[in-house]
Amino acid sequence: MSHPDLLGYAAAFLTTASFVPQVWQTLRTRDTRALSLWMYLLFTVGVALWGVYGILLGAWPIILANGVTLLLATIVLWHKLTEPRES
Amino acid sequence: MSHPDLLGYAAAFLTTASFVPQVWQTLRTRDTRALSLWMYLLFTVGVALWGVYGILLGAWPIILANGVTLLLATIVLWHKLTEPRES
C-alpha cells in the first residue's frame, strides 16, 4: 500500500467515523433542531457522487469512506426529515 | 477535463456547499445543541488529512473541496466549542 493510500484511509476513517457520534447523539436525543436540513440534503447527494467518483478512479479509500458515510448521513437526514415539533 | 474530474467537481461542490447552510443556521441561531462535538472534532481533522491526500495525488477536486470544507467545518466546531449554556 502506497503512502498516499495510507493517508487516504486515515482521512477516510476519520471523516466517516465522525458521523458515528452524530448518529449516536441523534438517535439518543432525537434532537435535530440545530442540524441544517439543507446541509444533510446536499451532503447526502454529494457523498453519493463522491462514491461514483471513487469507483471511476478505482480509489478504494474514496469508495469505502463514502459508502459508509452515505449510510450514516442518511440516518441523520431521515431523523431531521421526521423530527417531532417539540417533545 | 475528463468525466471523472467533472463528477469529482460536482461531488466536491455539493459536499462542500452543504456546510454553507449549516454555518448560516449556526451563526443565525447560535444553537449547537444537536450538533455532536465529537463529529466536528473528528471531521475537521479528517478533512485536513483529505486535503493532504489530494495534494499527494494532485487531485484538484479533492484539494479544493476539502480546503473550503475545512474552513466551514472549523466555524461550526468553534461555535460548538464556545456554545452558551442556555440563552
Side-chain angles (χ1 to χ4, degrees):
Chain A
M1 194 155 65
S2 70
H3 286 298
D5 271 5
L6 264 178
L7 190 65
Y9 277 111
F13 177 78
L14 283 173
T15 51
T16 296
S18 72
F19 281 88
V20 172
Q22 181 65 66
V23 166
W24 173 248
Q25 179 171 331
T26 302
L27 289 174
R28 187 169 47 81
T29 64
R30 304 269 154 176
D31 178 11
T32 56
R33 199 172 49 176
L35 303 174
S36 162
L37 173 60
W38 273 103
M39 175 197 149
Y40 276 92
L41 283 173
L42 298 174
F43 188 77
T44 303
V45 175
V47 163
L49 292 189
W50 272 123
V52 179
Y53 176 72
I55 290 168
L56 292 179
L57 261 64
W60 279 100
I62 301 176
I63 297 167
L64 292 173
N66 287 284
V68 180
T69 306
L70 181 59
L71 176 69
L72 296 170
T74 302
I75 294 172
V76 177
L77 175 60
W78 175 258
H79 279 80
K80 179 64 185 180
L81 285 169
T82 60
E83 73 182 343
R85 284 298 144 239
E86 285 291 274
S87 56
Chain B
M1 193 156 66
S2 71
H3 286 297
D5 272 5
L6 263 178
L7 189 65
Y9 277 109
F13 177 78
L14 283 174
T15 51
T16 296
S18 72
F19 281 86
V20 172
Q22 180 65 66
V23 167
W24 172 249
Q25 179 171 330
T26 302
L27 289 174
R28 187 168 48 80
T29 64
R30 304 267 154 178
D31 178 12
T32 56
R33 198 172 52 177
L35 303 175
S36 162
L37 172 61
W38 274 102
M39 176 197 147
Y40 276 92
L41 283 173
L42 297 174
F43 188 77
T44 302
V45 175
V47 164
L49 292 188
W50 271 124
V52 180
Y53 176 71
I55 290 168
L56 292 178
L57 260 64
W60 279 101
I62 301 177
I63 297 167
L64 291 173
N66 287 285
V68 179
T69 305
L70 181 59
L71 176 68
L72 296 170
T74 301
I75 295 171
V76 177
L77 175 61
W78 176 258
H79 279 82
K80 179 65 185 180
L81 285 169
T82 61
E83 72 182 344
R85 284 295 145 241
E86 284 292 272
S87 56

PDB file of all heavy atoms in Angstrom, chain B residues 1-17:
ATOM      1  N   MET B   1     -11.174  18.566 -19.539  1.00  0.00           N
ATOM      2  CA  MET B   1     -11.466  17.964 -18.228  1.00  0.00           C
ATOM      3  C   MET B   1     -12.158  16.624 -18.451  1.00  0.00           C
ATOM      4  O   MET B   1     -13.141  16.540 -19.186  1.00  0.00           O
ATOM      5  CB  MET B   1     -12.353  18.923 -17.419  1.00  0.00           C
ATOM      6  CG  MET B   1     -12.449  18.545 -15.967  1.00  0.00           C
ATOM      7  SD  MET B   1     -12.857  19.960 -14.892  1.00  0.00           S
ATOM      8  CE  MET B   1     -14.508  20.388 -15.423  1.00  0.00           C
ATOM      9  N   SER B   2     -11.643  15.591 -17.833  1.00  0.00           N
ATOM     10  CA  SER B   2     -12.210  14.256 -18.020  1.00  0.00           C
ATOM     11  C   SER B   2     -13.539  14.127 -17.288  1.00  0.00           C
ATOM     12  O   SER B   2     -13.878  14.928 -16.424  1.00  0.00           O
ATOM     13  CB  SER B   2     -11.237  13.200 -17.498  1.00  0.00           C
ATOM     14  OG  SER B   2     -11.175  13.242 -16.096  1.00  0.00           O
ATOM     15  N   HIS B   3     -14.281  13.069 -17.627  1.00  0.00           N
ATOM     16  CA  HIS B   3     -15.565  12.844 -16.967  1.00  0.00           C
ATOM     17  C   HIS B   3     -15.411  12.605 -15.462  1.00  0.00           C
ATOM     18  O   HIS B   3     -16.193  13.152 -14.691  1.00  0.00           O
ATOM     19  CB  HIS B   3     -16.310  11.691 -17.635  1.00  0.00           C
ATOM     20  CG  HIS B   3     -16.882  12.094 -18.974  1.00  0.00           C
ATOM     21  ND1 HIS B   3     -17.841  13.064 -19.081  1.00  0.00           N
ATOM     22  CD2 HIS B   3     -16.622  11.674 -20.228  1.00  0.00           C
ATOM     23  CE1 HIS B   3     -18.155  13.231 -20.364  1.00  0.00           C
ATOM     24  NE2 HIS B   3     -17.414  12.405 -21.080  1.00  0.00           N
ATOM     25  N   PRO B   4     -14.444  11.792 -15.033  1.00  0.00           N
ATOM     26  CA  PRO B   4     -14.289  11.639 -13.576  1.00  0.00           C
ATOM     27  C   PRO B   4     -14.020  12.975 -12.889  1.00  0.00           C
ATOM     28  O   PRO B   4     -14.549  13.239 -11.811  1.00  0.00           O
ATOM     29  CB  PRO B   4     -13.094  10.685 -13.430  1.00  0.00           C
ATOM     30  CG  PRO B   4     -13.079   9.916 -14.699  1.00  0.00           C
ATOM     31  CD  PRO B   4     -13.545  10.870 -15.761  1.00  0.00           C
ATOM     32  N   ASP B   5     -13.215  13.838 -13.522  1.00  0.00           N
ATOM     33  CA  ASP B   5     -12.957  15.151 -12.920  1.00  0.00           C
ATOM     34  C   ASP B   5     -14.240  15.953 -12.778  1.00  0.00           C
ATOM     35  O   ASP B   5     -14.480  16.576 -11.740  1.00  0.00           O
ATOM     36  CB  ASP B   5     -11.953  15.940 -13.782  1.00  0.00           C
ATOM     37  CG  ASP B   5     -10.511  15.647 -13.393  1.00  0.00           C
ATOM     38  OD1 ASP B   5     -10.302  14.773 -12.527  1.00  0.00           O
ATOM     39  OD2 ASP B   5      -9.614  16.271 -13.961  1.00  0.00           O
ATOM     40  N   LEU B   6     -15.068  15.937 -13.826  1.00  0.00           N
ATOM     41  CA  LEU B   6     -16.344  16.656 -13.774  1.00  0.00           C
ATOM     42  C   LEU B   6     -17.191  16.160 -12.610  1.00  0.00           C
ATOM     43  O   LEU B   6     -17.765  16.948 -11.859  1.00  0.00           O
ATOM     44  CB  LEU B   6     -17.123  16.434 -15.081  1.00  0.00           C
ATOM     45  CG  LEU B   6     -17.005  17.511 -16.154  1.00  0.00           C
ATOM     46  CD1 LEU B   6     -17.801  17.102 -17.392  1.00  0.00           C
ATOM     47  CD2 LEU B   6     -17.519  18.844 -15.620  1.00  0.00           C
ATOM     48  N   LEU B   7     -17.285  14.842 -12.486  1.00  0.00           N
ATOM     49  CA  LEU B   7     -18.075  14.231 -11.415  1.00  0.00           C
ATOM     50  C   LEU B   7     -17.465  14.580 -10.062  1.00  0.00           C
ATOM     51  O   LEU B   7     -18.192  14.877  -9.101  1.00  0.00           O
ATOM     52  CB  LEU B   7     -18.112  12.713 -11.605  1.00  0.00           C
ATOM     53  CG  LEU B   7     -19.070  11.959 -10.696  1.00  0.00           C
ATOM     54  CD1 LEU B   7     -20.509  12.335 -10.997  1.00  0.00           C
ATOM     55  CD2 LEU B   7     -18.882  10.451 -10.870  1.00  0.00           C
ATOM     56  N   GLY B   8     -16.146  14.562  -9.990  1.00  0.00           N
ATOM     57  CA  GLY B   8     -15.459  14.916  -8.749  1.00  0.00           C
ATOM     58  C   GLY B   8     -15.758  16.348  -8.340  1.00  0.00           C
ATOM     59  O   GLY B   8     -15.993  16.629  -7.168  1.00  0.00           O
ATOM     60  N   TYR B   9     -15.770  17.246  -9.319  1.00  0.00           N
ATOM     61  CA  TYR B   9     -16.073  18.645  -9.003  1.00  0.00           C
ATOM     62  C   TYR B   9     -17.519  18.804  -8.554  1.00  0.00           C
ATOM     63  O   TYR B   9     -17.814  19.581  -7.648  1.00  0.00           O
ATOM     64  CB  TYR B   9     -15.786  19.558 -10.201  1.00  0.00           C
ATOM     65  CG  TYR B   9     -14.329  19.953 -10.292  1.00  0.00           C
ATOM     66  CD1 TYR B   9     -13.497  19.459 -11.292  1.00  0.00           C
ATOM     67  CD2 TYR B   9     -13.782  20.838  -9.353  1.00  0.00           C
ATOM     68  CE1 TYR B   9     -12.156  19.817 -11.357  1.00  0.00           C
ATOM     69  CE2 TYR B   9     -12.451  21.205  -9.416  1.00  0.00           C
ATOM     70  CZ  TYR B   9     -11.635  20.693 -10.425  1.00  0.00           C
ATOM     71  OH  TYR B   9     -10.311  21.049 -10.476  1.00  0.00           O
ATOM     72  N   ALA B  10     -18.439  18.053  -9.183  1.00  0.00           N
ATOM     73  CA  ALA B  10     -19.848  18.105  -8.767  1.00  0.00           C
ATOM     74  C   ALA B  10     -19.983  17.596  -7.332  1.00  0.00           C
ATOM     75  O   ALA B  10     -20.656  18.206  -6.493  1.00  0.00           O
ATOM     76  CB  ALA B  10     -20.717  17.281  -9.713  1.00  0.00           C
ATOM     77  N   ALA B  11     -19.330  16.476  -7.044  1.00  0.00           N
ATOM     78  CA  ALA B  11     -19.358  15.905  -5.687  1.00  0.00           C
ATOM     79  C   ALA B  11     -18.726  16.881  -4.709  1.00  0.00           C
ATOM     80  O   ALA B  11     -19.261  17.136  -3.622  1.00  0.00           O
ATOM     81  CB  ALA B  11     -18.612  14.573  -5.664  1.00  0.00           C
ATOM     82  N   ALA B  12     -17.586  17.441  -5.098  1.00  0.00           N
ATOM     83  CA  ALA B  12     -16.878  18.394  -4.247  1.00  0.00           C
ATOM     84  C   ALA B  12     -17.753  19.605  -3.961  1.00  0.00           C
ATOM     85  O   ALA B  12     -17.846  20.068  -2.823  1.00  0.00           O
ATOM     86  CB  ALA B  12     -15.588  18.840  -4.929  1.00  0.00           C
ATOM     87  N   PHE B  13     -18.415  20.107  -5.003  1.00  0.00           N
ATOM     88  CA  PHE B  13     -19.265  21.284  -4.827  1.00  0.00           C
ATOM     89  C   PHE B  13     -20.382  20.992  -3.826  1.00  0.00           C
ATOM     90  O   PHE B  13     -20.644  21.790  -2.918  1.00  0.00           O
ATOM     91  CB  PHE B  13     -19.863  21.719  -6.166  1.00  0.00           C
ATOM     92  CG  PHE B  13     -20.800  22.873  -6.021  1.00  0.00           C
ATOM     93  CD1 PHE B  13     -20.318  24.162  -5.857  1.00  0.00           C
ATOM     94  CD2 PHE B  13     -22.178  22.669  -6.003  1.00  0.00           C
ATOM     95  CE1 PHE B  13     -21.181  25.225  -5.679  1.00  0.00           C
ATOM     96  CE2 PHE B  13     -23.046  23.729  -5.825  1.00  0.00           C
ATOM     97  CZ  PHE B  13     -22.551  25.012  -5.666  1.00  0.00           C
ATOM     98  N   LEU B  14     -21.036  19.833  -3.974  1.00  0.00           N
ATOM     99  CA  LEU B  14     -22.169  19.506  -3.106  1.00  0.00           C
ATOM    100  C   LEU B  14     -21.756  19.290  -1.651  1.00  0.00           C
ATOM    101  O   LEU B  14     -22.364  19.851  -0.745  1.00  0.00           O
ATOM    102  CB  LEU B  14     -22.908  18.273  -3.634  1.00  0.00           C
ATOM    103  CG  LEU B  14     -23.809  18.520  -4.837  1.00  0.00           C
ATOM    104  CD1 LEU B  14     -24.371  17.212  -5.361  1.00  0.00           C
ATOM    105  CD2 LEU B  14     -24.959  19.460  -4.449  1.00  0.00           C
ATOM    106  N   THR B  15     -20.738  18.454  -1.427  1.00  0.00           N
ATOM    107  CA  THR B  15     -20.370  18.173  -0.034  1.00  0.00           C
ATOM    108  C   THR B  15     -19.786  19.419   0.640  1.00  0.00           C
ATOM    109  O   THR B  15     -19.957  19.612   1.834  1.00  0.00           O
ATOM    110  CB  THR B  15     -19.377  16.994   0.084  1.00  0.00           C
ATOM    111  OG1 THR B  15     -18.274  17.194  -0.792  1.00  0.00           O
ATOM    112  CG2 THR B  15     -20.059  15.675  -0.251  1.00  0.00           C
ATOM    113  N   THR B  16     -19.109  20.254  -0.147  1.00  0.00           N
ATOM    114  CA  THR B  16     -18.572  21.488   0.419  1.00  0.00           C
ATOM    115  C   THR B  16     -19.688  22.504   0.645  1.00  0.00           C
ATOM    116  O   THR B  16     -19.818  23.063   1.738  1.00  0.00           O
ATOM    117  CB  THR B  16     -17.505  22.079  -0.519  1.00  0.00           C
ATOM    118  OG1 THR B  16     -16.415  21.163  -0.586  1.00  0.00           O
ATOM    119  CG2 THR B  16     -16.996  23.415  -0.003  1.00  0.00           C
ATOM    120  N   ALA B  17     -20.505  22.721  -0.389  1.00  0.00           N
ATOM    121  CA  ALA B  17     -21.593  23.699  -0.296  1.00  0.00           C
ATOM    122  C   ALA B  17     -22.579  23.316   0.803  1.00  0.00           C
ATOM    123  O   ALA B  17     -23.233  24.183   1.386  1.00  0.00           O
ATOM    124  CB  ALA B  17     -22.315  23.819  -1.646  1.00  0.00           C
TER     125      ALA B  17
END
